[in-house]
Amino acid sequence: MSEARPDVYAALRACRLWRGADDASVMALAAQARVEHAARGRVLAQEGDKPDRFGVVVAGRVRVYHLGADGRALTFETAGKGEPVAAVAALAGTRYPANIDAATDATIAWLPRETLFELIESQPTVLRTIVADLANRVVNLTAVATSLSLDVPSRLAGYLFQRALAVGDSTPEGLVVDLGMTKAELASALGTVPETLSRALGRLRDEGVLEVRARDVVVKEVGALARLGSGYSEE
């Protein structure tokens, strides 16, 4: 067995799927990993491919998305360092239900799907964390489906409200919220196109809810974001 790279071991050790596994088992996984370096935009897996492997992000970010017939991409999730990709399809044995590409220059450690079952057999305690992760993914996908029933300004408001709670920085101007991604990436995550996202930002700006900057916004009415994000209207 080859020696594991320190960065690969660190990423796998941080992966939530096998948080309860011992260090030796994670080191064995890292030693088996096939490391791939991908430039931004490179396709790593396509919808319909056989799930003979799953990955853990070592560096950069990876996007999981559905590409509609009209060419519009709907982002399901973006995975960063230590996060798994394609693990659900690998466990199910079904074909990949979505596309995966490199959202930035990225490094991914790929593992054969059988290693996950071998780990479960040797470390039964990891089954609890895997089940919890799968349940959390169902909740997240339900939230995605719910958000798609809202118009784009409401989807945007919901996203910004959650970001405000997570990373908002209180200043005399208001609550400064880093968008967390480029506007093009955000448009994809919201299931829309950049032009529509710009109009939605403009609407929220004109209504006095926020001020738009390059990579962040200044939220002036957090309550308005919460109401819009839930689809509630006083009109």
Side-chain angles (χ1 to χ4, degrees), residues 34-47:
R34 185 176 71 79
V35 180
E36 180 178 9
H37 303 287
R40 179 179 179 178
R42 179 176 171 180
V43 176
L44 303 170
Q46 290 184 305
E47 188 173 342

Side-chain angles (χ1 to χ4, degrees), residues 1-2 4 8-9 11-13 15 17-18 25-36 50-58 83-87 90-91 96 108-119:
M1 185 178 293
S2 61
V8 172
Y9 170 76
L12 267 61
R13 179 68 281 180
C15 182
L17 284 180
W18 43 72
S25 295
V26 177
M27 182 63 75
L29 286 176
Q32 296 178 66
R34 185 176 71 79
V35 180
E36 180 178 9
K50 291 184 178 180
D52 56 353
R53 65 179 185 171
F54 69 99
V56 174
V57 181
V58 176
E83 294 185 305
V85 290
L91 275 171
Y96 289 133
I108 304 94
W110 293 104
L111 291 161
R113 68 185 292 264
E114 288 303 320
T115 61
L116 194 51
F117 295 108
E118 292 168 0
L119 180 63

